[in-house]
Amino acid sequence: MEKTTEHLARRIEEILRARGWTVACAESCTGGLVTSRLTDIPGSSDVVKGSVVSYTNAVKHGVLGVRQETLKRFGAVSPQTAAEMADGVRRVIGADVAVSITGNAGPGASEGKPVGLVDFGVSTAGGTQTFSGHFTGTRKEIKAAAAKKILECLLETLQRADA
């Protein structure tokens, strides 16, 4: 059975609430869509601490602390940038767990990265993991698919006993 974004958000919030944890988001190509999905759930203010829409490299660097070297060497769309975004937003917001998304939702390739390429990060006190995905469809469909993917990744992380 395919899980909807609402189902994923509800499960995430149940686990966060049970642990007494909070979450923060750093979003680029999704423009706040993940945070919106999480805050669609009544009572989410107990676990959703905040988010940063870091659509530009200046915000990735200036607010989240992504190193200029990382942006120059690997680009805004890279696992390295996703990891630094997740770590940065967890630190800046002061959350227990954080997620990040950076990608190219189209319509054209940028930085030599194809449309639909998205990199994700999940940061906890136990470390940071990154994931990559390639999605197809319209800009809106790519954004929705990426938002759902990071919710799936976050839920999987939270379900592990060591998270």
Side-chain angles (χ1 to χ4, degrees):
M1 179 174 103
E2 184 178 345
K3 295 180 179 170
T4 65
T5 55
E6 181 179 350
H7 174 80
L8 293 165
R10 284 188 187 280
R11 282 294 300 133
I12 288 164
E13 292 197 24
E14 288 169 5
I15 294 169
L16 290 171
R17 192 176 310 281
R19 289 186 180 187
W21 282 14
T22 56
V23 65
C25 303
E27 300 185 60
S28 185
C29 65
T30 48
L33 187 57
V34 175
T35 306
S36 179
R37 297 290 191 250
L38 290 169
T39 59
D40 283 345
I41 308 300
S44 60
S45 60
D46 294 338
V47 297
V48 179
K49 200 156 186 186
S51 75
V52 174
V53 176
S54 55
Y55 209 63
T56 66
N57 285 353
V59 174
K60 286 176 181 71
H61 172 69
V63 176
L64 299 177
V66 176
R67 295 174 301 142
Q68 289 286 9
E69 176 186 326
T70 300
L71 293 167
K72 287 178 186 171
R73 183 171 178 198
F74 302 105
V77 180
S78 67
Q80 295 84 354
T81 296
E84 290 184 31
M85 287 172 62
D87 290 342
V89 79
R90 189 167 68 87
R91 182 188 74 256
V92 168
I93 301 283
D96 299 291
V97 61
V99 297
S100 66
I101 297 181
T102 184
N104 182 1
S110 66
E111 295 183 343
K113 309 290 172 99
V115 172
L117 177 63
V118 182
D119 289 296
F120 307 92
V122 178
S123 176
T124 67
T128 303
Q129 296 181 335
T130 61
F131 311 87
S132 295
H134 191 258
F135 306 96
T136 59
T138 65
R139 182 178 178 83
K140 190 172 181 178
E141 290 167 339
I142 290 169
K143 289 171 62 172
K148 184 176 181 186
K149 178 65 176 175
I150 194 59
L151 291 175
E152 291 169 346
C153 293
L154 176 57
L155 181 57
E156 288 171 16
T157 299
L158 292 172
Q159 288 174 331
R160 287 197 309 268
D162 62 343

